[in-house]
Amino acid sequence: MKEQETGTAISGGSSIEYADMLILRFGEFTLKGKNRARFEKTVLRHVKEMVKPYPNVVLSKEFGRIYVQLNGAPAGELAASLKNVFGIASISPVKVALSEFDDILSASRTFLEIIAPAPGTTFKVNARRVWKEFPHGSIEMNKLISTPLLQGYPGLIVDVKSPQMELKIEIREGHTYIFCENIPGVGGFPLGTNGKAMLLLSGGIDSPVAGWSSMRRGLEVECVHFYSYPYTSELARQKVVDLARVLSRYAGVIKLHLVPFTEVQTAFTGIGQDNLIITLMRRAMLKITTRLAEREGALALVTGESLGQVASQTLSSMNVIGRATTLPLLRPLVMMDKSEIVELSQMIGTYDLSILPYEDCCTLFVPKSPTTNPNLRIVDKIEATLPGYAARLDAAVAGTETISITPYGDEKPSDVVPVQAGLQEEWF
Ligand code: ATP
Ligand code: MG
């Protein structure tokens, strides 16, 4: 992991198409001794999913890293998608040579020619002989390679302490890897290694960010969206499918449960409790999602709530709403400022979709003055006395449709899979 600490990014945002291979390094979870093998395998499966559109790519795994042989696949495009794989700490695009001195030198020359460091760039060669049969040791190789390189590039200045460009040469049996860049990966824990949770996904800015944050901590996430046809349009539904598709870039495949919510919502109208409508709706969402969680084997619910953001997100509201479920309710954004959430949503690529103006099921039923301080006893009583309420919740669960969404394409009717108890989708 030494490269990681000392890596430089000399070519900045410029093309990395010189690369024959990408080296992916695992992140923080490597500390967790006994889980390591399982975690590494999970990352490998996730990477496999991400490289599916590039049939020439060949993957191999070694202790602490994954090799991605490109065989003509675009290095920049692949690095951009692979750096989003949770559990990957860094990516180096590498030029591959045979582990023979002449080949290493000539590949290093080619590498420098392509990178074309500006005159005055400080430089050092950092060779590492992993394969002990190679005739020259690491320190000797530093000299043997840097001397001819410096002759060919008089503009380079040697600086062994903190060079702008560190040309790393890793000599292994068979092949040698030449590289100078470390592209930071997203880190975190490999997908699903910390269990599964249900994400309440609205069309807003917050919940997709909450989903991404959960996935980054190693949670497998299934999305649940409540829609109120005919009050909410096909476009609103499509927006959520599109948001889930962005999330699927981080997951390989993601399930989206679409819950028909109209009948449940209309149960709350005309009962003279308009200021409690949002509280009642949120609780209904949690109750239904808890049922779906049980069916899918998920152990927690995730929302995009953030303390104080709106009337339903005061501490008092959160208390009354949260009691509608017995499962742990995770609120990854609870202490974050809106500006921080917006920044993350831009980074993960959901922001532009989230700000599209389509209506959400709840905005349609928003009362003039939603309460910021609901009373749990009153809420419990309303729910207990609403005629046919339990049946409406049952019908919403029964009417839920499930789609599996991938980063690549349009979901066809065949992708709408019936939900079975305990269905575990093996996407890898
Ligand atoms: P978001 O931007 O995520 O919509 P918000 O700040 O607009 O959040 P609310 O609309 O009050 O907040 O929703 C709070 C949380 O309730 C959301 O983050 C989401 O997890 C959940 N939620 C709201 N509406 C829906 C919906 N139609 N389907 C599923 N979950 C929803
Ligand atoms: Mg919202």
Side-chain angles (χ1 to χ4, degrees), residues 1 4 22-30 39-40 42-48 50-51 59 64-68 78-92 182-191 215-216:
M1 284 283 163
Q4 210 174 303
L22 302 175
I23 296 180
L24 317 181
R25 297 183 193 84
F26 296 124
E28 59 182 295
F29 66 84
T30 49
F39 281 16
E40 289 194 359
T42 307
V43 176
L44 183 63
R45 285 195 216 118
H46 193 173
V47 168
K48 264 188 196 155
M50 302 307 268
V51 302
L59 300 177
R65 49 168 67 177
I66 293 171
Y67 295 113
V68 183
L78 260 161
S81 84
L82 291 174
K83 72 180 186 185
N84 291 327
V85 170
F86 300 113
I88 289 182
S90 71
I91 301 182
S92 288
N182 266 314
I183 301 165
V186 72
F189 286 93
L191 201 71
M215 292 195 277
R216 187 166 184 237

Side-chain angles (χ1 to χ4, degrees), residues 202-207 282 313 360 362-363:
S202 71
I205 293 172
D206 305 320
S207 44
R282 290 274 180 270
Q313 295 173 27
D360 183 64
C362 300
T363 45

Side-chain angles (χ1 to χ4, degrees), residues 102-373:
D102 290 345
D103 207 48
I104 296 173
L105 178 58
S106 105
S108 304
R109 280 205 173 103
T110 315
F111 187 87
L112 262 194
E113 266 158 36
I114 298 169
I115 298 275
T121 301
T122 55
F123 169 83
K124 101 174 191 191
V125 171
N126 182 356
R128 192 154 73 92
R129 183 176 62 165
V130 182
W131 177 46
K132 298 299 174 205
E133 314 283 298
F134 187 75
H136 309 286
S138 303
I139 295 169
E140 191 188 350
M141 273 302 273
N142 287 344
K143 277 216 187 76
L144 287 174
I145 298 288
S146 61
T147 308
L149 284 187
L150 287 162
Q151 279 162 4
Y153 292 87
L156 291 177
I157 301 163
V158 175
D159 177 352
V160 290
K161 284 223 172 90
S162 59
Q164 290 165 304
M165 177 177 184
E166 186 170 343
L167 185 71
K168 297 197 175 95
I169 300 181
E170 199 177 282
I171 306 158
R172 292 183 173 254
E173 185 170 2
H175 292 100
T176 291
Y177 307 126
I178 300 163
F179 57 99
C180 70
E181 281 210 59
N182 266 314
I183 301 165
V186 72
F189 286 93
L191 201 71
T193 49
N194 284 330
K196 178 153 75 174
M198 307 300 275
L199 166 70
L200 284 94
L201 181 66
S202 71
I205 293 172
D206 305 320
S207 44
V209 175
W212 179 84
S213 307
S214 314
M215 292 195 277
R216 187 166 184 237
R217 284 291 94 190
L219 283 177
E220 179 190 345
V221 158
E222 292 190 12
C223 306
V224 181
H225 177 70
F226 295 84
Y227 68 94
S228 298
Y229 188 76
Y231 302 106
T232 54
S233 64
E234 189 54 39
L235 285 173
R237 182 187 140 124
Q238 188 57 44
K239 173 180 171 179
V240 172
V241 169
D242 292 342
L243 279 170
R245 194 185 315 288
V246 176
L247 290 179
S248 78
R249 285 185 209 151
Y250 303 95
V253 84
I254 206 160
K255 269 195 202 173
L256 171 63
H257 304 279
L258 293 156
V259 186
F261 202 49
T262 318
E263 293 302 314
V264 174
Q265 276 183 302
T266 47
F268 303 133
T269 54
I271 56 168
Q273 297 287 355
D274 281 2
N275 64 344
L276 279 175
I277 259 186
I278 299 280
T279 312
L280 291 162
M281 283 194 301
R282 290 274 180 270
R283 281 173 57 89
M285 286 183 183
L286 292 186
K287 283 171 195 262
I288 293 167
T289 308
T290 303
R291 301 260 296 269
L292 296 173
E294 280 158 6
R295 192 168 72 178
E296 299 291 311
L299 293 179
L301 312 186
V302 178
T303 72
E305 289 165 299
S306 178
L307 189 59
Q309 214 184 70
V310 286
S312 58
Q313 295 173 27
T314 60
L315 199 54
S316 171
S317 287
M318 282 191 188
N319 174 36
V320 173
I321 292 168
R323 281 165 193 255
T325 183
T326 47
L327 287 177
L329 185 51
L330 309 180
R331 299 168 166 121
L333 315 183
V334 73
M335 298 301 176
M336 283 171 77
D337 282 352
K338 191 74 186 185
S339 60
E340 294 170 312
I341 300 170
V342 164
E343 216 171 276
L344 269 177
S345 90
Q346 285 165 335
M347 190 197 91
I348 66 173
T350 50
Y351 182 76
D352 291 342
L353 283 168
S354 289
I355 58 172
L356 291 173
Y358 309 124
E359 70 291 345
D360 183 64
C361 66
C362 300
T363 45
L364 295 168
F365 291 80
V366 167
K368 279 200 193 73
S369 57
T371 180
T372 53
N373 188 19

Side-chain angles (χ1 to χ4, degrees), residues 376-414:
L376 183 59
R377 267 191 315 116
I378 295 174
V379 169
D380 274 339
K381 197 160 167 211
I382 294 170
E383 287 172 358
T385 53
L386 265 183
Y389 184 51
R392 289 187 197 225
L393 294 179
D394 289 346
V397 173
T400 297
E401 144 195 42
T402 300
I403 323 175
S404 288
I405 293 179
T406 67
Y408 323 118
D410 295 330
E411 276 56 51
K412 297 171 189 68
S414 60

